[in-house]
Amino acid sequence: MKGTKKLVIVESPTKAKTIGGYLGDDYEVIASVGHVRDLAEPSALPADLKKGAFGKFAVDVDNDFAPYYVVNDNKRKTVSELKRALKGADELWLATDEDREGEAIAWHLLEVLQPKVPVHRMVFHEITQEAIEQAKSNTRDLDTALVDAQETRRILDRLYGYDISPVLWRKVAPKLSAGRVQSAATRLVVDRERERQAFRAAEYWDLTATFRPEADAPDVTAFEARLVRLDSQRIATGGDFGDDGALTSRASKAGVIPLAQDRAERIAALLAADARAEVVSVETKPHTRRPAAPFTTSTLQQEASRKLRYSSRQTMSFAQSLYENGYITYMRTDSPTLSKQAIQAARSQAAELYGSQTLPEKPRVYTGKSKGAQEAHEAIRPAGDTFQRPSSLKGKLTQGEFALYELIWKRTVASQMADAKGSTDTVTLSATVTENNAAAPTAAEFTTSGTVITFPGFLLAYEEGRDEKRGEKSGDQNVALPQLSSGQPLGVEEPTAKGHETSPPPRYTEASLTKRLEELGIGRPSTYAAIISTIMDRGYVTKKGQALVPSWIAFSVVRLLEEHFSALVDYDFTAEMENDLDRIASGEADRSKWLGEFYFGTDAHPGLRGVVDNLGEIDARAINTIKIDDEISLRNGKYGPYLEVFDDKCEVGEDGVVKPRSVNIPDGLAPDELTPAKAHELADAEPAEDRVVGLHPETSKRIVAKNGRFGPYVTELPDEGEELPKGQKPRTASLFKSMDPATIELDTAVALLDLPRTVGVEDEVEITAQNGRYGPYLKKGTDTRSLPSEDAIFSIDLAGAQELFAQPKYGAKRASSALKEFEADPVSGKPIKVKDGRFGPYVTDGETNATIPRGDSVEDINFERAVELLAIKRAKGPAKKKAPARKAAAKKPAAKKTAAKKPAAKKPAAAKKTAAKAAVDPARSAAAKKAAATRAANRAAAEAQA
């Protein structure tokens, strides 16, 4: 109705700005900035609930797994603003994403805002004028099944993490976490490293030669071919060997033989001496290659990793920005399907740019195998019914966004183009050699092949990347072989024998891990990036180039889970849970019943609670020990991994017990690189701590450089026979990061031992420079200032120190140089900066500080990622400080305030969803009303009983 004020709520400020440009003055668009409510932390529950059913998880597992939700502290202001805006509105339009999270955000908004005006659920897959207009005309009810699925996943993750993580804290290390999906992903990476550890390289040889037609055909070029058979026995290639370094049973049964070095070199010499061969056969086959399907979330992350070297998190950050600004369709989808308008747009641009001959007669139709909730969406493609060409967006997008848009555009257009066509020629050649005066000559068979593309088709626009595969033969090359005929004589030139070693299974990259998770059915489009980011942020996995390398702590975590929670980290079981969530999302399964079976168990499965309650004794030492050989084991200790060595260098205690030696492991040494030989090399190496740097010029005591568990350091040793006073220890100083214990000089060591250094005196107060737990700093009485580097400890003078103390203390509003600067944050409206703090680099807008995770580098941080980190930090809220026990009474008002939300929080799941649907569809059936009333009454009775 004209003149009606409509309030539209979306998740993101960028999305709000874009949508607002398409709606008229009757619409006010506001962002919730993600979820406004979440499960309460058990420690933050009201005092009267901490000892009750909600106390452990903030979920009542005995009462239909009712969740206790609270408005996030950092969202109270947002909620207040939404309520104020709603008071002046005649209609509420919920325009969050059409997936589980988006549907849940919409439901939580209804629960918190309690609107008294008509409510409309508005959904769209792209943010264009046409899509928004269509969405306005086709609103729908809230999908309570999707909300149930999201709530089930959230509760499931809470139960899983809060029951299993404490076991890791006690038995492996503090601050570790377990997750339903992250644990399975970590296990995949660890399993691959175990395969690499078990791998034994095998040596094999091959032989290549250049072949040229006889002199009567000088115009025909030479070509190279490889030896494939000797007397009809196939020569082994890398793919014929197993991880144990021996031929696989399949290769052995087929009569495959490895070519030894001496024989390869002998045949090469014989061929060089009698260089003649002939063509046995020439086979020509047509070559056809189809274009890849349009992008799904998984394939987009894989291809962006291969071609652009983007992390999964970067890819989704750029894609989110492109979607919210109206350049691409929704970026979380399992479906490769294109709409009719998208197919027409892709075909039109292909014909315009590459010619009408590059189009197939009929449009290509792609279908996916997934039956999950994401199938409602299209593939990821450029938005609109006419795609914007990448060239038209230069200057409008950041470099990262532009590269990703161009990738999406190319893939979409290519998907509607014709097959690439050509021919593949395979030539078989034969030569004979007589080995060691044998009675019969040996037949040596060579082959080569080449593909010639005669019609490029879709290759004019795009070619899909590929992951590394072990033992994979090199692909056909775009080379033309000469015209040859059977029986044609050839000359042999430059026969060369080459030795090779088999390679272990390649480590996962972000691309190949995403692909594997999708193959196993673990995770969904919205979770792939988060899964990989989580296992990296937790320290379970690090990146070495593009490869994902597990840490030693990940080995201990996976081992504990495998031995004591085997069913919960089983790949098939984890995938089946995802399928169950899909069934809940489609309304085919009941949320409460499924959670009950997962937690309390069934006849076929003991359930999470049954497993946790019957763990028995877990040997922490065994879990954290990995045997290298009979003398050496790797141990995960309190201060990190180290080698525990039992050999003849060990000391024997007075009780006759051998005390093992501890040997440090170099940083950056991957688990598969710690072979028994490497372990003994480290154990037998002369310890660097034995190096005497020199004598202190004043005390004449020996200064020694050592390597300790906290890093390299220098120490002043007491004289032989000298006993230090009780409680006094030798002077010790850590080396700077730029220093090496093997090369440190005496003057530097003395200066380190004499720290703190006196810089000067101001106002009769001494100013000193020193190194601390959080880096180098100046100290003047109780006042301190950070120094820019460790070297400044020795170089700063009194004037420089006075200048630093004249500035506000770190953490106040003093100006500091930023590593990077971006435009204003869409929430705070203040410029974003990347700074280097005492705890490491962080992102700030002057109001919120967000630490840059270990998986990211400062160079990788762009505007979108900075906004994302700040949003995540705001969502977490301020750090909670534990108040002293004697001040517990002072927290009662806060507890009452939280308890005021109890009625909404404690609604049963079914009643909550029905109430939400009523807000959207007031004309629901009488039967639904009756069912809701019955469930509400049951819930009220349960509350009264509790």
Side-chain angles (χ1 to χ4, degrees):
M1 183 184 298
K2 190 172 182 180
T4 302
K5 189 70 175 180
K6 304 175 180 67
L7 175 63
V8 182
I9 303 179
V10 297
E11 311 96 315
S12 145
T14 303
K15 189 176 177 181
K17 181 180 178 181
T18 307
I19 292 175
Y22 296 131
L23 298 172
D25 295 336
D26 292 341
Y27 294 84
E28 180 184 5
V29 187
I30 300 180
S32 67
V33 195
H35 282 277
V36 294
R37 290 200 314 179
D38 194 10
L39 288 177
E41 289 295 329
S43 60
L45 286 170
D48 60 325
L49 293 181
K50 286 183 178 179
K51 297 180 180 179
F54 289 96
K56 184 175 182 180
F57 304 112
V59 174
D60 187 349
V61 298
D62 296 317
N63 193 1
D64 288 336
F65 294 86
Y68 188 90
Y69 290 115
V70 294
V71 174
N72 301 326
D73 290 341
N74 64 317
K75 289 301 178 67
R76 295 187 186 280
K77 182 179 178 181
T78 301
V79 170
S80 297
E81 292 173 351
L82 291 172
K83 286 183 176 180
R84 280 196 298 270
L86 184 59
K87 285 182 179 179
D90 300 307
E91 294 180 3
L92 175 61
W93 293 60
L94 300 173
T96 52
D97 292 338
E98 192 188 11
D99 58 10
R100 296 175 193 172
E101 289 299 323
E103 209 74 9
I105 290 172
W107 175 74
H108 280 293
L109 286 168
L110 286 178
E111 288 288 296
V112 172
L113 299 179
Q114 296 292 313
K116 302 293 191 296
V117 297
V119 179
H120 306 275
R121 179 75 173 101
M122 174 181 174
V123 294
F124 39 83
H125 302 151
E126 60 184 4
I127 305 178
T128 60
Q129 182 72 58
E130 296 77 15
I132 298 302
E133 290 297 328
Q134 186 178 10
K136 286 166 57 178
S137 304
N138 295 278
T139 58
R140 63 164 173 79
D141 295 337
L142 192 76
D143 190 333
T144 55
L146 280 181
V147 180
D148 274 345
Q150 187 277 341
E151 186 173 72
T152 304
R153 182 204 58 78
R154 185 69 184 92
I155 294 172
L156 173 63
D157 290 344
R158 173 62 65 90
L159 300 175
Y160 194 111
Y162 277 43
D163 253 342
I164 300 180
S165 294
V167 180
L168 300 181
W169 303 342
R170 295 191 301 269
K171 300 300 180 180
V172 181
K175 298 182 180 180
L176 297 178
S177 70
R180 172 181 58 91
V181 183
Q182 78 179 52
S183 296
T186 303
R187 184 187 174 194
L188 279 171
V189 179
V190 169
D191 280 347
R192 179 55 55 86
E193 198 72 6
R194 288 169 172 167
E195 291 176 30
R196 292 174 64 88
Q197 289 176 313
F199 174 78
R200 296 294 177 265
E203 182 184 65
Y204 65 97
W205 284 71
D206 67 12
L207 192 153
T208 59
T210 300
F211 294 85
R212 186 185 299 276
E214 295 292 353
D216 58 348
D219 57 321
V220 180
T221 56
F223 59 94
E224 187 178 90
R226 181 174 59 87
L227 178 67
V228 292
R229 287 182 176 81
L230 288 173
D231 283 340
S232 299
Q233 286 186 299
R234 185 167 68 82
I235 303 299
T237 61
D240 293 315
F241 293 89
D243 288 344
D244 58 358
L247 285 175
T248 63
S249 59
R250 182 178 179 180
S252 298
K253 290 178 181 177
V256 176
I257 59 170
L259 186 61
Q261 178 181 359
D262 58 346
R263 192 178 186 192
E265 292 175 342
R266 182 169 65 250
I267 292 174
L270 292 170
L271 285 170
D274 184 15
R276 294 181 61 83
E278 68 175 27
V279 178
V280 175
S281 65
V282 179
E283 184 179 11
T284 300
K285 290 183 178 180
H287 173 85
T288 302
R289 185 172 169 190
R290 293 174 56 86
F295 280 130
T296 62
T297 303
S298 170
T299 56
L300 177 64
Q301 291 177 13
Q302 293 173 48
E303 196 73 340
S305 175
R306 298 184 193 110
K307 289 185 178 289
L308 305 178
R309 293 294 186 261
Y310 288 171
S311 68
S312 297
R313 182 154 49 186
Q314 285 176 309
T315 298
M316 296 311 293
S317 176
F318 291 139
Q320 180 89 31
S321 178
L322 289 171
Y323 165 68
E324 291 178 349
N325 283 287
Y327 294 113
I328 65 171
T329 54
Y330 193 56
M331 64 288 161
R332 295 188 180 97
T333 174
D334 286 329
S335 174
T337 303
L338 292 176
S339 65
K340 291 182 179 179
Q341 71 168 15
I343 291 174
Q344 183 57 44
R347 287 174 65 86
S348 296
Q349 288 198 338
E352 183 180 349
L353 294 172
Y354 307 111
S356 58
Q357 73 279 4
T358 64
L359 294 180
E361 291 184 7
K362 296 181 180 180
R364 293 186 183 275
V365 177
Y366 297 90
T367 57
K369 297 179 181 179
S370 173
K371 296 182 181 179
Q374 309 301 336
E375 275 290 333
H377 301 302
E378 266 192 272
I380 304 170
R381 62 165 177 87
D385 54 10
T386 301
F387 300 160
Q388 296 189 62
R389 295 186 189 177
S391 58
S392 68
L393 297 180
K394 281 192 173 179
K396 297 181 182 179
L397 304 177
T398 65
Q399 184 177 355
E401 291 170 348
F402 178 82
L404 190 66
Y405 179 83
E406 185 177 43
L407 191 69
I408 294 169
W409 179 86
K410 287 181 176 180
R411 177 94 164 209
T412 306
V413 172
S415 73
Q416 288 301 314
M417 294 175 68
D419 295 344
K421 294 185 177 180
S423 61
T424 299
D425 293 334
T426 300
V427 179
T428 303
L429 316 169
S430 178
T432 56
V433 293
T434 302
E435 299 183 73
N436 298 329
N437 298 317
T442 300
E445 184 178 303
F446 292 77
T447 64
T448 188
S449 63
T451 298
V452 176
I453 300 296
T454 55
F455 176 73
F458 75 91
L459 293 176
L460 292 170
Y462 177 83
E463 183 171 5
E464 187 178 27
R466 302 178 66 187
D467 292 320
E468 176 192 359
K469 292 185 179 179
R470 180 178 55 159
E472 185 178 43
K473 296 180 181 179
S474 59
D476 293 331
Q477 303 297 316
N478 271 357
V479 295
L481 293 172
Q483 290 294 325
L484 299 169
S485 59
S486 180
Q488 183 174 351
L490 301 171
V492 184
E493 302 174 357
E494 301 175 358
T496 305
K498 295 180 181 178
H500 306 273
E501 270 197 351
T502 54
S503 57
R507 289 192 177 96
Y508 285 110
T509 62
E510 290 199 33
S512 59
L513 181 59
T514 298
K515 183 177 181 180
R516 185 60 179 148
L517 289 170
E518 185 180 37
E519 290 172 348
L520 292 171
I522 296 172
R524 287 297 182 259
S526 59
T527 63
Y528 295 134
I531 291 169
I532 295 175
S533 296
T534 298
I535 63 177
M536 293 176 67
D537 292 343
R538 295 285 186 267
Y540 294 148
V541 173
T542 57
K543 289 186 78 171
K544 192 173 184 179
Q546 291 295 306
L548 299 178
V549 183
S551 63
W552 286 110
I553 205 76
F555 277 75
S556 292
V557 169
V558 169
R559 182 175 178 181
L560 186 148
L561 294 176
E562 287 175 334
E563 293 183 4
H564 300 278
F565 300 92
S566 57
L568 300 180
V569 291
D570 179 77
Y571 299 136
D572 291 337
F573 179 76
T574 306
E576 187 56 36
M577 282 196 286
E578 296 288 356
N579 294 332
D580 290 340
L581 292 175
D582 288 343
R583 285 192 283 274
I584 294 172
S586 62
E588 299 173 15
D590 179 73
R591 157 199 175 282
S592 300
K593 180 180 178 182
W594 186 87
L595 282 170
E597 292 176 351
F598 167 78
Y599 189 67
F600 294 111
T602 64
D603 292 340
H605 186 271
L608 177 62
R609 184 166 178 173
V611 173
V612 173
D613 290 347
N614 296 281
L615 277 178
E617 189 62 32
I618 298 177
D619 186 344
R621 181 178 178 84
I623 289 293
N624 288 285
T625 301
I626 299 172
K627 186 176 180 180
I628 305 298
D629 64 13
D630 292 338
E631 292 186 348
I632 303 178
S633 296
L634 180 132
R635 294 263 297 137
N636 272 315
K638 182 178 181 181
Y639 303 105
Y642 64 94
L643 294 181
E644 186 177 71
V645 183
F646 287 89
D647 58 12
D648 53 9
K649 297 180 182 179
C650 294
E651 296 181 0
V652 180
E654 295 180 357
D655 54 358
V657 177
V658 177
K659 298 180 179 180
R661 294 192 295 124
S662 297
V663 177
N664 292 327
I665 298 175
D667 290 337
L669 186 70
D672 75 325
E673 296 170 358
L674 187 62
T675 61
K678 182 64 177 178
H680 281 276
E681 177 189 331
L682 294 172
D684 296 340
E686 289 297 325
E689 57 263 34
D690 291 340
R691 192 176 84 84
V692 177
V693 179
L695 300 178
H696 196 290
E698 296 179 6
T699 65
S700 297
K701 296 183 182 295
R702 289 177 300 154
I703 298 177
V704 177
K706 295 190 174 188
N707 262 315
R709 59 176 50 169
F710 300 111
Y713 65 98
V714 290
T715 185
E716 192 178 55
L717 298 181
D719 295 332
E720 190 173 346
E722 177 185 4
E723 293 187 7
L724 296 176
K726 189 175 181 180
Q728 182 179 337
K729 296 181 179 180
R731 289 197 301 167
T732 300
S734 296
L735 269 60
F736 292 175
K737 294 179 181 177
S738 58
M739 298 176 181
D740 186 345
T743 59
I744 189 170
E745 298 177 349
L746 178 62
D747 292 344
T748 305
V750 170
L752 289 172
L753 289 170
D754 290 343
L755 290 178
R757 167 181 167 254
T758 300
V759 177
V761 178
E762 183 182 47
D763 298 332
E764 299 183 355
V765 179
E766 190 176 66
I767 299 175
T768 58
Q770 54 207 297
N771 229 341
R773 180 181 179 185
Y774 303 114
Y777 67 101
L778 291 172
K779 185 176 183 181
K780 177 185 174 185
T782 58
D783 201 4
T784 60
R785 292 292 185 277
S786 295
L787 287 170
S789 66
E790 290 178 319
D791 293 337
I793 293 174
F794 294 133
S795 62
I796 194 167
D797 56 14
L798 180 59
Q802 290 171 330
E803 182 181 349
L804 282 177
F805 278 107
Q807 298 177 9
K809 190 173 182 179
Y810 181 93
K813 294 183 179 180
R814 72 175 176 90
S816 64
S817 58
L819 303 177
K820 280 187 176 183
E821 296 189 18
F822 302 108
E823 57 187 274
D825 179 76
V827 177
S828 67
K830 296 183 178 181
I832 300 175
K833 296 181 179 180
V834 179
K835 295 185 176 182
D836 195 11
R838 62 173 62 186
F839 303 107
Y842 66 100
V843 176
T844 181
D845 63 349
E847 294 181 356
T848 304
N849 297 339
T851 301
I852 294 177
R854 278 180 290 185
D856 291 356
S857 66
V858 172
E859 293 74 18
D860 292 335
I861 299 298
N862 54 28
F863 174 70
E864 292 73 20
R865 180 60 177 148
V867 170
E868 179 187 13
L869 290 173
L870 290 173
I872 293 171
K873 178 63 176 177
R874 293 189 191 101
K876 289 182 178 178
K880 296 179 176 63
K881 295 183 179 180
K882 190 175 181 180
R886 63 176 181 276
K887 294 184 179 180
K891 300 197 80 171
K892 282 185 178 179
K896 287 179 180 178
K897 188 174 181 181
T898 307
K901 293 176 173 46
K902 185 161 50 176
K906 295 180 68 177
K907 287 181 183 178
K912 287 184 294 184
K913 309 299 185 306
T914 306
K917 184 171 181 179
V920 179
D921 180 15
R924 58 190 177 137
S925 67
K929 289 181 180 180
K930 183 178 180 181
T934 301
R935 286 190 289 268
N938 292 339
R939 177 64 179 167
E943 289 179 4
Q945 187 176 10

